Amino acid sequence: EAQVTQNPRYLITVTGKKLTVTCSQNMNHEYMSWYRQDPGLGLRQIYYSMNVEVTDKGDVPEGYKVSRKEKRNFPLILESPSPNQTSLYFCASSPRNENIQYFGAGTRLSVL
Amino acid sequence: QKEVEQDPGPLSVPEGAIVSLNCTYSNSAFQYFMWYRQYSRKGPELLMYTYSSGNKEDGRFTAQVDKSSKYISLFIRDSQPSDSATYLCAFQGAQKLVFGQGTRLTINP
C-alpha cells in the first residue's frame, strides 16, 4: 500500500530533550515536506526537500532540523524542544512533476 | 494581509443540505487550487484540484475558482454525515503549498 508513515504517532517529552520524528514514504517521491498544524493557524511548512541531500527552509524553520540522506526518509529533529513546539506535525511527499501532496497520519507532540 | 483567508467555522448543517466553503487569496502567483479534506486524527487528503477559473465537478463535489476575484469555493451537494471533516483550501505557488486555516464541517443526520 502506498503511504507516508510517521513515527511516533504520539509523543510527550520535556523541554531540552532532543527528539526525532521519523517519516518514510514508499512511493519513490522526490519531494518531501514537514508541516505543523496549530489551531487558528492552519498548516505551516517547516522544511522541505526537493531530493536527496537537498533541503530548504519553509515558513517556520526555527528550532527544527531535517536531513535527507535517502530518498524514502525525511526525519524531523528537535535538538532542544520547547513548549511552543507543542503541535501536530505532518510529513508529506509528492512526485517531482505533480502538485498533489500525500500526507502521513500525523504526530502529536507535547513538550512540557 | 494574509496570503490566504478561510473562515474556520465551525459549520453545522443538516444531512442533504448544500454546503459552500470559501477561501480568498492575495498572491497572484498561485497557479494551482486545491481542496483537502481532513478527518479527525488523520492527515489531509486531496479532494479536488484545478488550475483554471471556472467549475470542476467530481460527484457531489464542485470546485469553483474565480481568479479575477481571487476567490475559490467548494460546494458539496446532498451532504452526508460521512462528509463531516475539516476542509482546507490550498494554493500552489513556486515550490510552495499554502494552506488556509481549515473549516470544520459537521453534517447532522
Side-chain angles (χ1 to χ4, degrees), chain A residues 9-10 31 35 37 40-43 45 48 50 59 88 90 99-106 108, chain B residues 2 32 34 36 38 41-46 49 86 88 92-93 95-102:
Chain A
R9 292 289 315 277
Y10 302 92
Y31 181 95
Y35 296 87
Q37 187 175 35
L41 297 175
L43 277 161
Q45 190 177 53
Y48 65 93
M50 299 295 288
D59 295 318
L88 180 57
F90 288 101
N99 297 297
I100 301 167
Q101 293 197 25
Y102 299 85
F103 284 81
R108 187 167 292 280
Chain B
K2 284 186 178 179
Y32 300 92
M34 288 159 272
Y36 281 78
Q38 184 177 15
R41 303 183 190 280
K42 300 282 189 183
E45 57 179 351
L46 184 71
Y49 166 7
T86 296
L88 302 104
Q92 180 79 45
Q95 301 177 5
K96 183 177 178 179
L97 189 61
V98 180
F99 287 87
Q101 290 183 52

Side-chain angles (χ1 to χ4, degrees), chain A residues 13 27 39 44 52 71 74 78 85 91 112:
Chain A
T13 190
M27 296 171 280
R44 295 177 293 167
V52 175
K71 198 172 188 179
F74 190 44
L78 284 72
Q85 293 179 298
C91 179
L112 305 178

Side-chain angles (χ1 to χ4, degrees), chain B residues 19-89:
Chain B
V19 176
S20 171
L21 304 169
N22 310 296
C23 287
T24 58
Y25 65 98
S26 60
N27 190 340
S28 299
F30 289 149
Q31 299 173 317
Y32 300 92
F33 309 90
M34 288 159 272
W35 286 95
Y36 281 78
R37 178 175 60 194
Q38 184 177 15
Y39 290 115
S40 181
R41 303 183 190 280
K42 300 282 189 183
E45 57 179 351
L46 184 71
L47 188 61
M48 299 282 288
Y49 166 7
T50 184
Y51 57 87
S52 59
S53 282
N55 294 347
K56 180 178 181 180
E57 272 192 39
D58 184 1
R60 297 182 294 107
F61 298 89
T62 299
Q64 184 178 81
V65 174
D66 182 343
K67 287 187 178 181
S68 62
S69 300
K70 295 189 175 64
Y71 188 91
I72 71 169
S73 298
L74 178 71
F75 298 97
I76 307 174
R77 292 186 301 279
D78 187 25
S79 55
Q80 303 295 308
S82 58
D83 296 328
S84 297
T86 296
Y87 290 80
L88 302 104
C89 56

Side-chain angles (χ1 to χ4, degrees), chain A:
Chain A
E1 180 188 355
Q3 58 186 0
V4 178
T5 304
Q6 294 178 228
N7 280 299
R9 292 289 315 277
Y10 302 92
L11 180 59
I12 300 174
T13 190
V14 295
T15 299
K17 186 176 181 181
K18 180 179 178 180
L19 66 91
T20 299
V21 184
T22 64
C23 174
S24 180
Q25 50 94 4
N26 62 0
M27 296 171 280
N28 201 37
H29 287 168
E30 287 81 9
Y31 181 95
M32 297 186 74
S33 182
W34 276 102
Y35 296 87
R36 59 179 290 174
Q37 187 175 35
D38 302 288
L41 297 175
L43 277 161
R44 295 177 293 167
Q45 190 177 53
I46 303 170
Y47 269 94
Y48 65 93
S49 169
M50 299 295 288
N51 214 323
V52 175
E53 302 291 3
V54 180
T55 63
D56 210 343
K57 296 177 180 179
D59 295 318
V60 288
E62 294 77 22
Y64 304 95
K65 284 176 58 177
V66 293
S67 69
R68 186 91 182 273
K69 292 182 170 37
E70 305 167 281
K71 198 172 188 179
R72 62 182 292 126
N73 295 323
F74 190 44
L76 179 70
I77 303 156
L78 284 72
E79 295 269 2
S80 183
S82 62
N84 64 11
Q85 293 179 298
T86 293
S87 186
L88 180 57
Y89 291 86
F90 288 101
C91 179
S93 72
S94 72
R96 181 171 52 198
N97 59 346
E98 286 189 24
N99 297 297
I100 301 167
Q101 293 197 25
Y102 299 85
F103 284 81
T107 296
R108 187 167 292 280
L109 171 65
S110 293
V111 183
L112 305 178

